[in-house]
Amino acid sequence: MTPLGCESLDRILGGGIETGGITELFGEFRTGKTQLCHTLCVSCQLPFDKGGAEGKALYIDTESTFRPERIVAAAERFNLNGKDVLGNIVFARAYNTDHQTNLLKKVGDLMTKHRFAILIVDSSTALYRTDYIGRGELAARQQHMAKFFRELQRLADGFGIAVVVTNQVSAQVDGSSSFITDPKKPIGGNVVAHAVQTRLYLRKGKGVNRICKIYDSPKLPNAECEFSITEAGIGNALE
């Protein structure tokens, strides 16, 4: 279990992000997905006696969202040395879906040599939207995506790490959308839905506050909570 260091989030998640499985964070732009990922890069390095996983983090970035300065700020919040924390994060930039998948092979090699606690892919689906365009490429896209998520699960199983992926949302355009309060749905269809274990839906609250809802999980009950986004990562909701 990798804690987030936010009382409300850790409570509804049963202590934090589960190891040995894939957790998906999905939501619109600026709902806190990347901030949660940055915070996890730090909290996973906390020692066992402080609730951490005492391991390194591996971050695959597909949208140029990684910000070292945010990592340093979050490290200070957890009373950790920012330079040391950055040194324990392996960063990789993916430029297309083949590159994104091939990086996982190198990840496996790294994990045989060093202790990692978490693997983050931010975003897991963005490159698929640009590499595969139109309905004619839908089958090929879903097949490639399924292979990518199978490899993620293999790493989670083989090394006992937490895997966290972010995902975007699209508007639901079928006739049922008029009867749904929030007609947005995560990208990836059944491939992503069946590949991940826990799905967390993030949306905007008031001001810097955000809302996290357990959208689907085999272990966790339906629940939601508020949290805030700050320069030092995430924290409890502000009044």
Side-chain angles (χ1 to χ4, degrees), residues 141-168:
R141 184 189 80 168
Q142 295 302 88
Q143 185 177 17
H144 194 293
M145 190 182 294
K147 180 181 177 182
F148 175 73
F149 274 91
R150 282 198 303 272
E151 186 63 21
L152 286 177
Q153 186 62 57
R154 187 186 70 81
L155 291 168
D157 290 337
F159 296 98
I161 59 168
V163 174
V164 174
V165 300
T166 68
N167 194 2
Q168 299 162 333

Side-chain angles (χ1 to χ4, degrees), residues 168-208:
Q168 299 162 333
V169 294
S170 61
Q172 193 162 312
V173 295
D174 58 30
S176 64
S177 62
S178 59
F179 301 99
I180 302 174
T181 305
D182 189 355
K184 301 177 191 68
K185 61 179 181 179
I187 291 166
N190 289 332
V191 167
V192 177
H194 293 154
V196 304
Q197 283 75 49
T198 300
R199 315 188 83 180
L200 304 179
Y201 177 29
L202 306 179
R203 65 185 192 275
K204 294 177 182 177
K206 185 177 180 181
V208 297

